[in-house]
Amino acid sequence: SGGWDDAARVWSLETRECLLLLGNQENNICVLGLSNGDVVTGSTGFQVEHAIQGHQIRLWKNGKVEKTNQDHSAGIRDLCAVVGEEGLMCASASNDGTVRLLGPDLACAEVFVCPDGSFAFSVAHLGAGRFAAAQESGTLVLFQRGVGVLRTINFTKGLWAVRRLPSDDFMVAGEDNIIIIFTDKEDKSLSQETLDQILGQNIKEQQERRGHQEQGSASSQQQGSSSPLPSEQDLDKYRGAKEGDISLFQSLTSNGSTAYRWEGGAWRALGPVAAAPVPRAELGGAYFDVVVPVEVDSASKGFICDMMGFNFTDDPQELSRNFCHKHSLPDEYLTQIESFIQQCQFMANM
């Protein structure tokens, strides 16, 4: 197993105890166990100022590093074994948008470049010289050894993993919470109509779940709210408890309410009532228009989740710069965080 603690571990399936610690690596570690007992690991590297450094692939024998490969220009995200391909041992996927085929000594035999250049999160060997890469952008790329890109399949959201199945089919999983299995066998393939129906049903179920949650929230709010105001057209049906009392009536000309004072046995209009003040959110002893969690999966820093408070008048670009500076994130995250802040400001103002 590999984790964010700069190490990989070898475990006993019988005792569930850690047998071997492969430490002193760089940040998040992906790991591959080979059939001969050797272990291959890939690290995402550490951030030094605005650059990622130290990311590499290691071949371990008996708990010691035998070989290393530092060909990738960014962190390594996944490894897969390559069986039955002459001169190859494994393949690696990287944040540099490439897949590399590696020999037994970790020497690079071939490089596949993902067409859109986004992070390659996962790689799988499909057999017969074919490979698949899952990208952060939501693109599934199929490669052929010695040929290059065979086909790309675009998904609406990012892909997390691609894996070959024992049946020689392969599956992909991603941010849309759907696992799709692909096959070359005609008798197992779904028709496009059936596939559309399944995907449509999944989307419908997700929408219904969100709808139930929203209805539950609205119901709770309604139960806790006061009874509706009497309408202005019913002024003659009500009187003040005493001279000078002020009461609210539902306006006939707007969705708001109008204040009336009881004077001399009749209601006198005082004017429309502004909406109740909206409470601001507190964070660290200060108050903001919006407080939201900002989540970043950084190759160098790991998974970062921090609360951010800001006002509608704040500059999203400056907020993004401050957040990246606070967490020592590279400039590549500026646009993503700035866009997220703009979206939050827009939604909160609706």
Side-chain angles (χ1 to χ4, degrees):
S1 64
W4 289 99
D5 57 356
D6 310 332
R9 288 171 171 80
V10 179
W11 301 84
S12 167
L13 292 178
E14 295 179 356
T15 65
R16 300 186 181 182
E17 295 178 344
C18 180
L19 303 178
L20 195 60
L21 176 67
L22 309 178
N24 297 319
Q25 301 189 63
E26 300 80 26
N27 213 346
N28 185 32
I29 309 301
C30 56
V31 61
L32 169 66
L34 301 177
S35 59
N36 63 358
D38 293 345
V39 176
V40 183
T41 61
S43 63
T44 54
F46 290 118
Q47 180 170 323
V48 179
E49 294 183 350
H50 294 290
I52 304 299
Q53 298 181 7
H55 48 277
Q56 58 188 291
I57 301 171
R58 293 175 171 91
L59 173 63
W60 301 76
K61 290 181 178 290
N62 301 317
K64 296 182 179 180
V65 177
E66 182 79 9
K67 299 282 185 179
T68 62
N69 179 298
Q70 301 179 10
D71 290 343
H72 281 293
S73 60
I76 294 89
R77 301 303 294 261
D78 192 26
L79 298 163
C80 76
V82 178
V83 180
E85 303 282 351
E86 184 178 356
L88 297 182
M89 179 181 69
C90 64
S92 59
S94 168
N95 285 347
D96 63 10
T98 68
V99 168
R100 292 178 180 267
L101 307 185
L102 307 177
D105 58 353
L106 289 189
C108 183
E110 191 168 351
V111 180
F112 297 141
V113 179
C114 296
D116 63 11
S118 70
F119 291 177
F121 277 171
S122 186
V123 60
H125 176 223
L126 306 182
R130 298 177 304 155
F131 296 82
Q135 293 188 262
E136 180 192 33
S137 61
T139 301
L140 176 68
V141 188
L142 302 180
F143 301 99
Q144 176 75 45
R145 188 181 183 187
V147 176
V149 177
L150 294 176
R151 183 184 178 188
T152 60
I153 303 173
N154 295 317
F155 292 74
T156 57
K157 294 187 177 181
L159 297 179
W160 292 333
V162 55
R163 290 291 181 265
R164 182 181 179 181
L165 301 175
S167 60
D168 289 336
D169 301 329
F170 69 95
M171 67 178 185
V172 295
E175 192 179 351
D176 58 4
N177 301 320
I178 299 174
I179 294 175
I180 298 181
I181 299 175
F182 290 87
T183 182
D184 287 334
K185 303 171 181 65
E186 194 68 32
D187 60 333
K188 294 174 62 177
S189 299
L190 295 177
S191 67
Q192 188 62 48
E193 180 181 358
T194 303
L195 181 60
D196 291 342
Q197 183 179 0
I198 293 173
L199 296 179
Q201 181 64 28
N202 180 274
I203 294 173
K204 180 181 178 182
E205 290 174 355
Q206 292 188 33
Q207 291 174 339
E208 288 177 349
R209 283 196 294 270
R210 284 195 294 268
H212 290 321
Q213 292 171 353
E214 292 171 358
Q215 289 175 7
S217 175
S219 175
S220 299
Q221 293 175 4
Q222 186 174 5
Q223 291 174 5
S225 63
S226 58
S227 58
L229 296 173
S231 172
E232 282 183 311
Q233 67 182 4
D234 296 326
L235 285 173
D236 58 346
K237 297 180 180 180
Y238 296 87
R239 65 175 180 83
K242 61 181 184 298
E243 186 73 11
D245 272 359
I246 297 177
S247 295
L248 300 180
F249 290 83
Q250 181 65 46
S251 174
L252 292 175
T253 58
S254 70
N255 291 328
S257 57
T258 303
Y260 284 82
R261 177 183 285 128
W262 183 252
E263 292 181 357
W267 292 108
R268 185 172 72 86
L270 299 179
V273 177
V278 178
R280 304 178 85 189
E282 188 270 339
L283 179 65
Y287 289 87
F288 301 93
D289 294 338
V290 180
V291 173
V292 293
V294 179
E295 298 179 351
V296 176
D297 188 1
S298 167
S300 60
K301 296 294 182 179
F303 182 75
I304 297 172
C305 181
D306 194 12
M307 301 302 293
M308 176 188 289
F310 53 84
N311 300 315
F312 297 135
T313 56
D314 289 342
D315 180 12
Q317 192 174 44
E318 182 178 355
L319 291 169
S320 179
R321 282 197 301 266
N322 292 341
F323 185 88
C324 289
H325 177 73
K326 176 182 177 181
H327 295 285
S328 300
L329 292 171
D331 292 343
E332 64 188 77
Y333 291 97
L334 284 172
T335 303
Q336 178 183 352
I337 297 174
E338 180 183 348
S339 176
F340 172 73
I341 294 170
Q342 289 173 335
Q343 183 180 13
C344 290
Q345 289 177 327
F346 173 77
M347 295 299 294
N349 267 312
M350 291 183 65

